[in-house]
Amino acid sequence: MDKMKDVALLAGRILLALMFVMAGWGKIGGYAGTQGYMEAMGVPGFMLPLVILLELGGGLAIVLGLFTRSLSVLLAGFTLMAAFIFHYQPAEQMQMLMFMKNLSVAGGFLALAAAGPGAFSLDARLGKCW
């Protein structure tokens, strides 16, 4: 049963992080457009490098199971902020679907923070529980 739990935690980490890794990478390629969109939504464009670092770096760290608990809480908060800033538009069905997706992802990160990274992680190998 423990092996199944560890495999599920590994799969969960990968699935949760995939969206962030891809989004962070995409922001590098579309830097100017992303910065403009952020500014149009009231978010200072100078924050984009931090967003990329969190999405790409944090996402890769989650995949590897490094600093899993701390990053999961941070990414949950980031995802909730993004949900309210960019997607909370009750008059638009697609935006509300994205809003609900973000709430679900934040919940997944909080569950990961509570459960920990599992045996197949750098945290476990290093004997750390961040």
Side-chain angles (χ1 to χ4, degrees):
M1 191 63 161
D2 283 342
K3 192 66 107 181
M4 195 163 138
K5 174 186 169 190
D6 291 325
V7 169
L9 285 168
L10 172 62
R13 288 195 336 257
I14 292 168
L15 292 172
L16 276 170
L18 182 63
M19 176 174 69
F20 290 88
V21 171
M22 293 179 69
W25 186 256
K27 285 175 177 67
I28 294 170
Y31 195 93
T34 302
Q35 190 175 37
Y37 179 67
M38 286 173 58
E39 290 171 348
M41 298 301 286
V43 178
F46 73 83
M47 295 183 73
L48 183 53
L50 296 174
V51 171
I52 292 169
L53 179 64
L54 182 59
E55 288 183 340
L56 186 57
L60 289 172
I62 292 289
V63 168
L64 296 172
L66 183 63
F67 308 116
T68 306
R69 290 181 191 263
S70 301
L71 281 172
S72 292
V73 171
L74 184 62
L75 283 164
F78 171 79
T79 303
L80 288 172
M81 284 192 305
F84 282 99
I85 293 169
F86 295 103
H87 301 299
Y88 187 73
Q89 300 174 27
E92 294 186 36
Q93 184 178 9
M94 184 55 75
Q95 287 301 325
M96 289 308 291
L97 181 62
M98 298 296 285
F99 176 79
M100 295 304 295
K101 179 235 359 142
N102 277 28
L103 294 183
S104 298
V105 169
F109 275 122
L110 292 175
L112 181 60
F120 304 123
S121 67
L122 289 178
D123 286 342
R125 272 190 141 335
L126 297 171
K128 305 286 183 187
C129 187
W130 308 96

